[in-house]
């Protein structure tokens, strides 16, 4: 089969042009550790033995960060999450005019990158537990 000059040029353009994809929603490795402000949804859970290796209760002011943030934190070791340098790091979460300082002690598998999963005590400092999920929670490392 013989191709015309325009068909040859078109095929060359298709196969020789590099493919570009849309930007990834997740930030690059370590960027959540160094950037100043983040946002996402806030939820709450009943803690027990967390990914950082500590037992906590719903009365503790702790938080689980998304698996993406936890696993990509600089110095994270997937074979031993208890030694992740994010463990024990504090952050200030703000919702509307209310804020709370919480300590990272866990990893949230069901959370999107900027989401936070609080204890009921931590969540209660921001909103009524009846809400269950709050949107546009702003947070930063302290």
């Amino acid at each position: 089969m013989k191709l015309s000059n325009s068909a040859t040029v078109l095929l060359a353009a298709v196969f020789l042009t590099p493919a570009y994809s849309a930007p990834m929603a997740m930030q690059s490795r370590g960027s959540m550790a160094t950037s100043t402000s983040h946002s996402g949804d806030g939820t709450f859970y009943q803690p027990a033995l967390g990914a950082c290796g500590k037992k906590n209760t719903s009365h503790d002011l702790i938080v689980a960060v998304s698996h993406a943030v936890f696993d990509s934190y600089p110095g994270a070791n997937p074979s031993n999450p208890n030694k992740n340098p994010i463990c024990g790091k504090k952050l200030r979460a703000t919702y509307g005019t209310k804020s709370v300082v919480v300590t990272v002690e866990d990893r949230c598998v069901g959370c999107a990158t900027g989401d936070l999963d609080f204890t009921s005590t931590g969540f209660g400092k921001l909103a009524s537990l009846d809400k269950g999920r709050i949107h546009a929670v702003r947070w930063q490392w302290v």
Side-chain angles (χ1 to χ4, degrees):
M1 175 172 153
K2 184 170 165 97
L3 297 174
S4 68
N5 285 342
S6 59
T8 303
V9 170
L10 178 62
L11 284 173
V14 168
F15 289 107
L16 297 177
T17 303
Y20 293 97
S21 62
M24 291 181 63
M26 187 166 48
Q27 297 179 359
S28 63
R29 182 171 178 80
S31 64
M32 289 297 280
T34 57
S35 58
T36 57
S37 184
H38 314 282
S39 67
D41 285 357
T43 53
F44 63 95
Y45 74 113
Q46 178 60 47
L49 179 63
C52 293
K54 293 184 180 177
K55 287 185 180 181
N56 294 100
T57 72
S58 61
H59 300 291
D60 296 321
L61 288 175
I62 65 157
V63 69
V65 296
S66 75
H67 59 93
V69 173
F70 192 95
D71 296 347
S72 67
Y73 198 82
N77 180 348
S79 64
N80 188 355
N82 296 175
K83 295 190 178 201
N84 189 325
I86 201 172
C87 294
K89 194 154 175 70
K90 294 189 181 299
L91 62 88
R92 179 183 318 282
T94 304
Y95 179 67
T97 60
K98 297 180 179 181
S99 68
V100 63
V101 174
V102 290
T103 304
V104 176
E105 291 293 341
D106 211 348
R107 178 181 183 270
C108 179
V109 177
C111 292
T113 301
D115 293 352
L116 299 173
D117 204 9
F118 300 91
T119 59
S120 56
T121 300
F123 187 93
K125 301 270 185 194
L126 300 175
S128 168
L129 297 181
D130 294 340
K131 286 194 173 230
R133 176 179 294 270
I134 52 179
H135 306 286
V137 175
R138 296 178 323 278
W139 61 273
Q140 60 192 35
W141 301 110
V142 294

